[in-house]
């Protein structure tokens, strides 16, 4: 009987121990869950940061610029930086193109997507056909008074000018006038042959200056006919007039059957 009593006492002690042990586990379980969640959250945040730092998610731009002297890559990068900063999804190519084409020296921008965050940007700059002065400006030093006309007949006014030996054009800053001026210049030069136009003013009348300093006033009508008359007269005058005087002559071709000459 004694051993039965001892066995009973041992069972009671075991039940008390197991109950106490179970209670401790139950108390520690919520803490363990919270710690697990915090650990998982920490690893998740760490993983996201590391993924963002990985090269394959960084925006990559390959540049092709036909004239780095006119357009600096570093300047263009700074212009589009707000559009690509912290962008890990698809880049807005249209918006990037618009921003770049607002730069004065840039004629066209072609953007090709290589990957979701990788693009190739090809830049074509304006080719100078003529230097340009705004006839409405009294002081030529202001930013809107000096510019260039491209080989497409487009007026562009950069912040900084460059040295150029191109023909000097003078007119108002209206694109319609610029377009007509450039077309007229090409026609005049074609008709003039070896005589090189040095400057062309298009105000209410057209005035040409041939190299070295021969001024020809064509007026506002019958301009091609008047130019032909000048070329014919100049050819005849070369036979009898000293070259030094003829090279600084001024021809006014607005007379119906002739012209006035100032030597």
């Amino acid at each position: 009987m004694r051993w039965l009593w001892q066995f009973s006492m041992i069972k009671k002690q075991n039940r008390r121990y197991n109950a106490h042990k179970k209670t401790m586990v139950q108390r520690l379980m919520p803490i363990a869950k919270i710690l697990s969640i915090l650990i998982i959250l920490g690893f998740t945040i760490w993983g996201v940061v590391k993924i963002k730092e990985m090269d394959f998610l960084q925006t990559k731009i390959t540049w092709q610029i036909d004239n780095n002297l006119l357009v600096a890559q570093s300047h263009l990068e700074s212009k589009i930086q707000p559009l690509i900063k912290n962008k890990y999804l698809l880049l807005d190519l249209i918006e990037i193109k618009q921003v770049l084409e607002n730069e004065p020296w840039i004629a066209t921008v072609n953007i090709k997507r290589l990957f979701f965050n990788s693009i190739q940007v090809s830049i074509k700059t304006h080719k100078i056909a003529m230097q340009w002065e705004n006839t409405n400006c009294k002081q030529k030093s202001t930013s809107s008074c000096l510019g260039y006309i491209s080989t497409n007949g487009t007026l562009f006014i950069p912040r900084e000018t460059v040295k150029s030996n191109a023909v000097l054009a003078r007119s108002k800053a209206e694109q319609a006038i610029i377009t007509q001026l450039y077309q007229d210049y090409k026609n005049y030069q074609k008709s003039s042959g070896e005589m090189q136009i040095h400057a062309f003013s298009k105000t209410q009348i057209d005035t040409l200056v041939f190299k070295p300093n021969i001024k020809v006033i064509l007026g506002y009508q019958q301009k091609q006919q008047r130019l032909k008359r000048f070329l014919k007269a100049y050819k005849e005058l070369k036979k009898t007039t000293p070259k030094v005087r003829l090279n600084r002559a001024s021809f006014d071709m607005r007379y119906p059957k002739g012209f006035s000459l100032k030597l």
Side-chain angles (χ1 to χ4, degrees), residues 5-39:
W5 178 82
Q6 288 178 343
F7 178 75
S8 176
M9 291 299 294
I10 292 172
K11 285 184 67 177
K12 288 180 180 180
Q13 289 176 355
N14 287 339
R15 281 197 298 269
R16 290 173 185 172
Y17 174 78
N18 291 335
H20 178 72
K21 183 178 179 181
K22 184 177 181 181
T23 302
M24 290 296 294
V25 171
Q26 289 174 342
R27 289 176 181 176
L28 293 174
M29 186 62 71
I31 298 174
K33 288 182 178 180
I34 293 173
L35 288 175
S36 299
I37 293 172
L38 290 175
I39 292 171

Side-chain angles (χ1 to χ4, degrees), residues 164-176:
S164 175
N165 295 322
V167 176
L168 176 61
R170 298 185 181 93
S171 72
K172 293 181 180 180
E174 298 176 18
Q175 185 56 52

